[in-house]
PDB file of all heavy atoms in Angstrom:
ATOM      1  N   PRO A   1       6.115  -9.143 -16.621  1.00 63.00           N
ATOM      2  CA  PRO A   1       5.692  -7.731 -16.619  1.00 63.00           C
ATOM      3  C   PRO A   1       4.276  -7.518 -16.109  1.00 63.00           C
ATOM      4  O   PRO A   1       3.993  -6.527 -15.432  1.00 63.00           O
ATOM      5  CB  PRO A   1       5.813  -7.337 -18.087  1.00 63.00           C
ATOM      6  CG  PRO A   1       6.905  -8.210 -18.615  1.00 63.00           C
ATOM      7  CD  PRO A   1       6.733  -9.523 -17.902  1.00 63.00           C
ATOM      8  N   LEU A   2       3.342  -8.455 -16.421  1.00 62.00           N
ATOM      9  CA  LEU A   2       1.970  -8.335 -15.943  1.00 62.00           C
ATOM     10  C   LEU A   2       1.934  -8.259 -14.428  1.00 62.00           C
ATOM     11  O   LEU A   2       1.232  -7.422 -13.844  1.00 62.00           O
ATOM     12  CB  LEU A   2       1.138  -9.541 -16.422  1.00 62.00           C
ATOM     13  CG  LEU A   2      -0.240  -9.713 -15.759  1.00 62.00           C
ATOM     14  CD1 LEU A   2      -1.148  -8.550 -16.110  1.00 62.00           C
ATOM     15  CD2 LEU A   2      -0.876 -11.044 -16.164  1.00 62.00           C
ATOM     16  N   VAL A   3       2.710  -9.124 -13.780  1.00 61.00           N
ATOM     17  CA  VAL A   3       2.735  -9.160 -12.321  1.00 61.00           C
ATOM     18  C   VAL A   3       3.314  -7.864 -11.766  1.00 61.00           C
ATOM     19  O   VAL A   3       2.800  -7.310 -10.793  1.00 61.00           O
ATOM     20  CB  VAL A   3       3.557 -10.371 -11.826  1.00 61.00           C
ATOM     21  CG1 VAL A   3       3.746 -10.315 -10.314  1.00 61.00           C
ATOM     22  CG2 VAL A   3       2.875 -11.667 -12.235  1.00 61.00           C
ATOM     23  N   GLN A   4       4.380  -7.380 -12.377  1.00 70.00           N
ATOM     24  CA  GLN A   4       5.000  -6.144 -11.912  1.00 70.00           C
ATOM     25  C   GLN A   4       4.048  -4.960 -12.037  1.00 70.00           C
ATOM     26  O   GLN A   4       3.964  -4.116 -11.137  1.00 70.00           O
ATOM     27  CB  GLN A   4       6.287  -5.878 -12.699  1.00 70.00           C
ATOM     28  CG  GLN A   4       7.363  -6.936 -12.479  1.00 70.00           C
ATOM     29  CD  GLN A   4       8.619  -6.658 -13.283  1.00 70.00           C
ATOM     30  OE1 GLN A   4       9.006  -5.507 -13.476  1.00 70.00           O
ATOM     31  NE2 GLN A   4       9.260  -7.720 -13.759  1.00 70.00           N
ATOM     32  N   ARG A   5       3.294  -4.900 -13.137  1.00 71.00           N
ATOM     33  CA  ARG A   5       2.318  -3.827 -13.315  1.00 71.00           C
ATOM     34  C   ARG A   5       1.213  -3.929 -12.274  1.00 71.00           C
ATOM     35  O   ARG A   5       0.763  -2.915 -11.722  1.00 71.00           O
ATOM     36  CB  ARG A   5       1.725  -3.863 -14.732  1.00 71.00           C
ATOM     37  CG  ARG A   5       2.689  -3.415 -15.824  1.00 71.00           C
ATOM     38  CD  ARG A   5       1.948  -3.133 -17.116  1.00 71.00           C
ATOM     39  NE  ARG A   5       1.260  -4.317 -17.621  1.00 71.00           N
ATOM     40  CZ  ARG A   5       1.817  -5.213 -18.423  1.00 71.00           C
ATOM     41  NH1 ARG A   5       3.079  -5.067 -18.813  1.00 71.00           N
ATOM     42  NH2 ARG A   5       1.130  -6.257 -18.853  1.00 71.00           N
ATOM     43  N   GLU A   6       0.760  -5.166 -12.003  1.00 71.00           N
ATOM     44  CA  GLU A   6      -0.288  -5.346 -11.001  1.00 71.00           C
ATOM     45  C   GLU A   6       0.201  -4.937  -9.621  1.00 71.00           C
ATOM     46  O   GLU A   6      -0.546  -4.326  -8.850  1.00 71.00           O
ATOM     47  CB  GLU A   6      -0.751  -6.811 -10.982  1.00 71.00           C
ATOM     48  CG  GLU A   6      -1.641  -7.171 -12.159  1.00 71.00           C
ATOM     49  CD  GLU A   6      -2.236  -8.563 -12.023  1.00 71.00           C
ATOM     50  OE1 GLU A   6      -1.682  -9.376 -11.251  1.00 71.00           O
ATOM     51  OE2 GLU A   6      -3.252  -8.835 -12.675  1.00 71.00           O
ATOM     52  N   GLU A   7       1.439  -5.274  -9.282  1.00 77.00           N
ATOM     53  CA  GLU A   7       1.991  -4.897  -7.983  1.00 77.00           C
ATOM     54  C   GLU A   7       2.052  -3.379  -7.842  1.00 77.00           C
ATOM     55  O   GLU A   7       1.752  -2.830  -6.781  1.00 77.00           O
ATOM     56  CB  GLU A   7       3.397  -5.493  -7.802  1.00 77.00           C
ATOM     57  CG  GLU A   7       3.402  -6.985  -7.541  1.00 77.00           C
ATOM     58  CD  GLU A   7       2.808  -7.333  -6.184  1.00 77.00           C
ATOM     59  OE1 GLU A   7       3.089  -6.614  -5.202  1.00 77.00           O
ATOM     60  OE2 GLU A   7       2.057  -8.319  -6.110  1.00 77.00           O
ATOM     61  N   GLN A   8       2.430  -2.707  -8.904  1.00 82.00           N
ATOM     62  CA  GLN A   8       2.475  -1.245  -8.877  1.00 82.00           C
ATOM     63  C   GLN A   8       1.074  -0.670  -8.674  1.00 82.00           C
ATOM     64  O   GLN A   8       0.881   0.293  -7.919  1.00 82.00           O
ATOM     65  CB  GLN A   8       3.094  -0.713 -10.181  1.00 82.00           C
ATOM     66  CG  GLN A   8       4.583  -1.034 -10.332  1.00 82.00           C
ATOM     67  CD  GLN A   8       5.110  -0.730 -11.721  1.00 82.00           C
ATOM     68  OE1 GLN A   8       4.360  -0.334 -12.619  1.00 82.00           O
ATOM     69  NE2 GLN A   8       6.414  -0.918 -11.921  1.00 82.00           N
ATOM     70  N   GLY A   9       0.087  -1.273  -9.351  1.00 80.00           N
ATOM     71  CA  GLY A   9      -1.286  -0.814  -9.194  1.00 80.00           C
ATOM     72  C   GLY A   9      -1.814  -1.068  -7.788  1.00 80.00           C
ATOM     73  O   GLY A   9      -2.478  -0.203  -7.200  1.00 80.00           O
ATOM     74  N   LEU A  10      -1.500  -2.247  -7.229  1.00 87.00           N
ATOM     75  CA  LEU A  10      -1.915  -2.568  -5.860  1.00 87.00           C
ATOM     76  C   LEU A  10      -1.299  -1.602  -4.864  1.00 87.00           C
ATOM     77  O   LEU A  10      -1.947  -1.159  -3.918  1.00 87.00           O
ATOM     78  CB  LEU A  10      -1.511  -4.003  -5.502  1.00 87.00           C
ATOM     79  CG  LEU A  10      -2.334  -5.133  -6.119  1.00 87.00           C
ATOM     80  CD1 LEU A  10      -1.693  -6.481  -5.819  1.00 87.00           C
ATOM     81  CD2 LEU A  10      -3.767  -5.108  -5.603  1.00 87.00           C
ATOM     82  N   HIS A  11      -0.037  -1.265  -5.090  1.00 88.00           N
ATOM     83  CA  HIS A  11       0.663  -0.333  -4.193  1.00 88.00           C
ATOM     84  C   HIS A  11      -0.010   1.037  -4.231  1.00 88.00           C
ATOM     85  O   HIS A  11      -0.259   1.659  -3.186  1.00 88.00           O
ATOM     86  CB  HIS A  11       2.129  -0.232  -4.588  1.00 88.00           C
ATOM     87  CG  HIS A  11       2.942   0.636  -3.682  1.00 88.00           C
ATOM     88  ND1 HIS A  11       3.000   2.016  -3.833  1.00 88.00           N
ATOM     89  CD2 HIS A  11       3.728   0.339  -2.610  1.00 88.00           C
ATOM     90  CE1 HIS A  11       3.787   2.522  -2.900  1.00 88.00           C
ATOM     91  NE2 HIS A  11       4.235   1.524  -2.145  1.00 88.00           N
ATOM     92  N   ALA A  12      -0.317   1.507  -5.435  1.00 90.00           N
ATOM     93  CA  ALA A  12      -0.939   2.827  -5.579  1.00 90.00           C
ATOM     94  C   ALA A  12      -2.324   2.860  -4.921  1.00 90.00           C
ATOM     95  O   ALA A  12      -2.666   3.819  -4.218  1.00 90.00           O
ATOM     96  CB  ALA A  12      -1.043   3.197  -7.061  1.00 90.00           C
ATOM     97  N   GLU A  13      -3.124   1.804  -5.134  1.00 91.00           N
ATOM     98  CA  GLU A  13      -4.457   1.739  -4.535  1.00 91.00           C
ATOM     99  C   GLU A  13      -4.369   1.645  -3.014  1.00 91.00           C
ATOM    100  O   GLU A  13      -5.154   2.264  -2.293  1.00 91.00           O
ATOM    101  CB  GLU A  13      -5.226   0.530  -5.095  1.00 91.00           C
ATOM    102  CG  GLU A  13      -5.672   0.689  -6.527  1.00 91.00           C
ATOM    103  CD  GLU A  13      -6.619   1.863  -6.717  1.00 91.00           C
ATOM    104  OE1 GLU A  13      -7.567   2.007  -5.908  1.00 91.00           O
ATOM    105  OE2 GLU A  13      -6.410   2.648  -7.652  1.00 91.00           O
ATOM    106  N   ALA A  14      -3.397   0.858  -2.533  1.00 93.00           N
ATOM    107  CA  ALA A  14      -3.237   0.707  -1.083  1.00 93.00           C
ATOM    108  C   ALA A  14      -2.843   2.026  -0.437  1.00 93.00           C
ATOM    109  O   ALA A  14      -3.307   2.349   0.664  1.00 93.00           O
ATOM    110  CB  ALA A  14      -2.191  -0.372  -0.781  1.00 93.00           C
ATOM    111  N   MET A  15      -2.010   2.807  -1.104  1.00 94.00           N
ATOM    112  CA  MET A  15      -1.594   4.098  -0.553  1.00 94.00           C
ATOM    113  C   MET A  15      -2.775   5.063  -0.469  1.00 94.00           C
ATOM    114  O   MET A  15      -2.870   5.866   0.472  1.00 94.00           O
ATOM    115  CB  MET A  15      -0.474   4.695  -1.394  1.00 94.00           C
ATOM    116  CG  MET A  15       0.883   4.032  -1.195  1.00 94.00           C
ATOM    117  SD  MET A  15       1.427   3.999   0.543  1.00 94.00           S
ATOM    118  CE  MET A  15       1.544   5.761   0.903  1.00 94.00           C
ATOM    119  N   LYS A  16      -3.699   4.972  -1.416  1.00 95.00           N
ATOM    120  CA  LYS A  16      -4.901   5.812  -1.355  1.00 95.00           C
ATOM    121  C   LYS A  16      -5.736   5.449  -0.126  1.00 95.00           C
ATOM    122  O   LYS A  16      -6.273   6.331   0.564  1.00 95.00           O
ATOM    123  CB  LYS A  16      -5.739   5.627  -2.624  1.00 95.00           C
ATOM    124  CG  LYS A  16      -5.111   6.201  -3.886  1.00 95.00           C
ATOM    125  CD  LYS A  16      -5.998   5.935  -5.091  1.00 95.00           C
ATOM    126  CE  LYS A  16      -5.348   6.434  -6.378  1.00 95.00           C
ATOM    127  NZ  LYS A  16      -6.177   6.107  -7.568  1.00 95.00           N
ATOM    128  N   ILE A  17      -5.832   4.150   0.148  1.00 96.00           N
ATOM    129  CA  ILE A  17      -6.600   3.702   1.312  1.00 96.00           C
ATOM    130  C   ILE A  17      -5.895   4.096   2.599  1.00 96.00           C
ATOM    131  O   ILE A  17      -6.535   4.502   3.576  1.00 96.00           O
ATOM    132  CB  ILE A  17      -6.819   2.174   1.247  1.00 96.00           C
ATOM    133  CG1 ILE A  17      -7.726   1.846   0.063  1.00 96.00           C
ATOM    134  CG2 ILE A  17      -7.421   1.634   2.549  1.00 96.00           C
ATOM    135  CD1 ILE A  17      -7.835   0.373  -0.242  1.00 96.00           C
ATOM    136  N   VAL A  18      -4.571   3.982   2.618  1.00 96.00           N
ATOM    137  CA  VAL A  18      -3.788   4.416   3.777  1.00 96.00           C
ATOM    138  C   VAL A  18      -4.098   5.871   4.107  1.00 96.00           C
ATOM    139  O   VAL A  18      -4.322   6.235   5.269  1.00 96.00           O
ATOM    140  CB  VAL A  18      -2.272   4.225   3.507  1.00 96.00           C
ATOM    141  CG1 VAL A  18      -1.439   5.015   4.508  1.00 96.00           C
ATOM    142  CG2 VAL A  18      -1.907   2.745   3.585  1.00 96.00           C
ATOM    143  N   SER A  19      -4.150   6.713   3.091  1.00 95.00           N
ATOM    144  CA  SER A  19      -4.446   8.136   3.303  1.00 95.00           C
ATOM    145  C   SER A  19      -5.893   8.332   3.748  1.00 95.00           C
ATOM    146  O   SER A  19      -6.172   9.131   4.649  1.00 95.00           O
ATOM    147  CB  SER A  19      -4.180   8.923   2.019  1.00 95.00           C
ATOM    148  OG  SER A  19      -2.805   8.899   1.693  1.00 95.00           O
ATOM    149  N   LEU A  20      -6.815   7.586   3.122  1.00 95.00           N
ATOM    150  CA  LEU A  20      -8.233   7.701   3.472  1.00 95.00           C
ATOM    151  C   LEU A  20      -8.461   7.379   4.941  1.00 95.00           C
ATOM    152  O   LEU A  20      -9.253   8.045   5.622  1.00 95.00           O
ATOM    153  CB  LEU A  20      -9.063   6.756   2.598  1.00 95.00           C
ATOM    154  CG  LEU A  20     -10.569   6.706   2.867  1.00 95.00           C
ATOM    155  CD1 LEU A  20     -11.240   8.002   2.434  1.00 95.00           C
ATOM    156  CD2 LEU A  20     -11.207   5.513   2.155  1.00 95.00           C
ATOM    157  N   LEU A  21      -7.746   6.374   5.455  1.00 95.00           N
ATOM    158  CA  LEU A  21      -7.916   5.928   6.835  1.00 95.00           C
ATOM    159  C   LEU A  21      -6.935   6.600   7.791  1.00 95.00           C
ATOM    160  O   LEU A  21      -6.854   6.220   8.966  1.00 95.00           O
ATOM    161  CB  LEU A  21      -7.753   4.402   6.917  1.00 95.00           C
ATOM    162  CG  LEU A  21      -8.725   3.578   6.064  1.00 95.00           C
ATOM    163  CD1 LEU A  21      -8.480   2.090   6.274  1.00 95.00           C
ATOM    164  CD2 LEU A  21     -10.170   3.938   6.383  1.00 95.00           C
ATOM    165  N   GLU A  22      -6.197   7.588   7.269  1.00 94.00           N
ATOM    166  CA  GLU A  22      -5.246   8.356   8.076  1.00 94.00           C
ATOM    167  C   GLU A  22      -4.221   7.451   8.753  1.00 94.00           C
ATOM    168  O   GLU A  22      -3.935   7.561   9.944  1.00 94.00           O
ATOM    169  CB  GLU A  22      -5.991   9.218   9.111  1.00 94.00           C
ATOM    170  CG  GLU A  22      -6.932  10.223   8.461  1.00 94.00           C
ATOM    171  CD  GLU A  22      -7.654  11.094   9.479  1.00 94.00           C
ATOM    172  OE1 GLU A  22      -7.572  10.802  10.683  1.00 94.00           O
ATOM    173  OE2 GLU A  22      -8.303  12.070   9.043  1.00 94.00           O
ATOM    174  N   LEU A  23      -3.652   6.554   7.952  1.00 96.00           N
ATOM    175  CA  LEU A  23      -2.626   5.627   8.436  1.00 96.00           C
ATOM    176  C   LEU A  23      -1.249   5.948   7.866  1.00 96.00           C
ATOM    177  O   LEU A  23      -0.315   5.147   8.004  1.00 96.00           O
ATOM    178  CB  LEU A  23      -3.013   4.186   8.059  1.00 96.00           C
ATOM    179  CG  LEU A  23      -4.231   3.597   8.779  1.00 96.00           C
ATOM    180  CD1 LEU A  23      -4.680   2.304   8.098  1.00 96.00           C
ATOM    181  CD2 LEU A  23      -3.926   3.352  10.250  1.00 96.00           C
ATOM    182  N   ASP A  24      -1.099   7.124   7.257  1.00 96.00           N
ATOM    183  CA  ASP A  24       0.158   7.489   6.582  1.00 96.00           C
ATOM    184  C   ASP A  24       1.368   7.368   7.514  1.00 96.00           C
ATOM    185  O   ASP A  24       2.426   6.871   7.103  1.00 96.00           O
ATOM    186  CB  ASP A  24       0.080   8.921   6.042  1.00 96.00           C
ATOM    187  CG  ASP A  24      -1.140   9.144   5.165  1.00 96.00           C
ATOM    188  OD1 ASP A  24      -2.241   9.276   5.725  1.00 96.00           O
ATOM    189  OD2 ASP A  24      -0.986   9.180   3.943  1.00 96.00           O
ATOM    190  N   ALA A  25       1.207   7.799   8.742  1.00 96.00           N
ATOM    191  CA  ALA A  25       2.343   7.839   9.671  1.00 96.00           C
ATOM    192  C   ALA A  25       2.835   6.444  10.055  1.00 96.00           C
ATOM    193  O   ALA A  25       3.977   6.293  10.505  1.00 96.00           O
ATOM    194  CB  ALA A  25       1.965   8.611  10.931  1.00 96.00           C
ATOM    195  N   VAL A  26       1.981   5.429   9.887  1.00 96.00           N
ATOM    196  CA  VAL A  26       2.377   4.068  10.285  1.00 96.00           C
ATOM    197  C   VAL A  26       2.361   3.105   9.100  1.00 96.00           C
ATOM    198  O   VAL A  26       2.385   1.882   9.287  1.00 96.00           O
ATOM    199  CB  VAL A  26       1.453   3.537  11.400  1.00 96.00           C
ATOM    200  CG1 VAL A  26       1.604   4.350  12.668  1.00 96.00           C
ATOM    201  CG2 VAL A  26      -0.010   3.518  10.948  1.00 96.00           C
ATOM    202  N   ALA A  27       2.362   3.624   7.889  1.00 96.00           N
ATOM    203  CA  ALA A  27       2.233   2.781   6.697  1.00 96.00           C
ATOM    204  C   ALA A  27       3.300   1.698   6.629  1.00 96.00           C
ATOM    205  O   ALA A  27       3.044   0.583   6.150  1.00 96.00           O
ATOM    206  CB  ALA A  27       2.283   3.644   5.435  1.00 96.00           C
ATOM    207  N   HIS A  28       4.498   1.991   7.105  1.00 96.00           N
ATOM    208  CA  HIS A  28       5.599   1.038   7.000  1.00 96.00           C
ATOM    209  C   HIS A  28       5.939   0.389   8.344  1.00 96.00           C
ATOM    210  O   HIS A  28       6.981  -0.257   8.488  1.00 96.00           O
ATOM    211  CB  HIS A  28       6.823   1.720   6.399  1.00 96.00           C
ATOM    212  CG  HIS A  28       6.553   2.288   5.032  1.00 96.00           C
ATOM    213  ND1 HIS A  28       6.361   1.498   3.918  1.00 96.00           N
ATOM    214  CD2 HIS A  28       6.401   3.581   4.611  1.00 96.00           C
ATOM    215  CE1 HIS A  28       6.115   2.263   2.871  1.00 96.00           C
ATOM    216  NE2 HIS A  28       6.140   3.535   3.255  1.00 96.00           N
ATOM    217  N   ALA A  29       5.054   0.557   9.318  1.00 97.00           N
ATOM    218  CA  ALA A  29       5.242  -0.086  10.623  1.00 97.00           C
ATOM    219  C   ALA A  29       4.627  -1.488  10.606  1.00 97.00           C
ATOM    220  O   ALA A  29       3.656  -1.743   9.890  1.00 97.00           O
ATOM    221  CB  ALA A  29       4.581   0.740  11.722  1.00 97.00           C
ATOM    222  N   ARG A  30       5.229  -2.398  11.379  1.00 96.00           N
ATOM    223  CA  ARG A  30       4.653  -3.732  11.500  1.00 96.00           C
ATOM    224  C   ARG A  30       3.335  -3.645  12.275  1.00 96.00           C
ATOM    225  O   ARG A  30       3.231  -2.918  13.269  1.00 96.00           O
ATOM    226  CB  ARG A  30       5.605  -4.677  12.228  1.00 96.00           C
ATOM    227  CG  ARG A  30       6.877  -4.987  11.475  1.00 96.00           C
ATOM    228  CD  ARG A  30       7.697  -6.023  12.230  1.00 96.00           C
ATOM    229  NE  ARG A  30       7.956  -5.622  13.620  1.00 96.00           N
ATOM    230  CZ  ARG A  30       8.566  -6.397  14.512  1.00 96.00           C
ATOM    231  NH1 ARG A  30       8.980  -7.607  14.171  1.00 96.00           N
ATOM    232  NH2 ARG A  30       8.759  -5.961  15.739  1.00 96.00           N
ATOM    233  N   VAL A  31       2.361  -4.396  11.828  1.00 95.00           N
ATOM    234  CA  VAL A  31       1.049  -4.378  12.479  1.00 95.00           C
ATOM    235  C   VAL A  31       1.148  -4.754  13.953  1.00 95.00           C
ATOM    236  O   VAL A  31       0.478  -4.164  14.801  1.00 95.00           O
ATOM    237  CB  VAL A  31       0.084  -5.326  11.727  1.00 95.00           C
ATOM    238  CG1 VAL A  31      -1.137  -5.632  12.563  1.00 95.00           C
ATOM    239  CG2 VAL A  31      -0.345  -4.703  10.413  1.00 95.00           C
ATOM    240  N   MET A  32       2.004  -5.706  14.301  1.00 94.00           N
ATOM    241  CA  MET A  32       2.114  -6.179  15.674  1.00 94.00           C
ATOM    242  C   MET A  32       2.611  -5.104  16.635  1.00 94.00           C
ATOM    243  O   MET A  32       2.421  -5.220  17.845  1.00 94.00           O
ATOM    244  CB  MET A  32       3.056  -7.394  15.738  1.00 94.00           C
ATOM    245  CG  MET A  32       4.479  -7.096  15.332  1.00 94.00           C
ATOM    246  SD  MET A  32       5.493  -8.595  15.204  1.00 94.00           S
ATOM    247  CE  MET A  32       5.520  -9.143  16.903  1.00 94.00           C
ATOM    248  N   ASP A  33       3.204  -4.047  16.104  1.00 96.00           N
ATOM    249  CA  ASP A  33       3.741  -2.976  16.945  1.00 96.00           C
ATOM    250  C   ASP A  33       2.749  -1.837  17.164  1.00 96.00           C
ATOM    251  O   ASP A  33       3.083  -0.840  17.815  1.00 96.00           O
ATOM    252  CB  ASP A  33       5.024  -2.414  16.320  1.00 96.00           C
ATOM    253  CG  ASP A  33       6.135  -3.450  16.214  1.00 96.00           C
ATOM    254  OD1 ASP A  33       6.200  -4.320  17.110  1.00 96.00           O
ATOM    255  OD2 ASP A  33       6.914  -3.401  15.240  1.00 96.00           O
TER     256      ASP A  33
END
């Protein structure tokens, strides 16, 4: 459970950064593309 909670927290924090850097439209795109 500790790991699952941490993953959820990492996901939430990463999404905030995605929005801050205006990367929402490519959040689920592969970096190489």
Side-chain angles (χ1 to χ4, degrees):
L2 168 65
V3 172
Q4 296 179 35
R5 288 195 299 272
E6 284 188 340
E7 286 292 319
Q8 292 169 356
L10 285 172
H11 183 276
E13 288 299 314
M15 285 305 298
K16 291 178 183 177
I17 293 171
V18 164
S19 295
L20 178 70
L21 301 182
E22 299 181 350
L23 291 167
D24 307 76
V26 295
H28 301 289
R30 293 185 306 175
V31 164
M32 63 188 295
D33 298 327

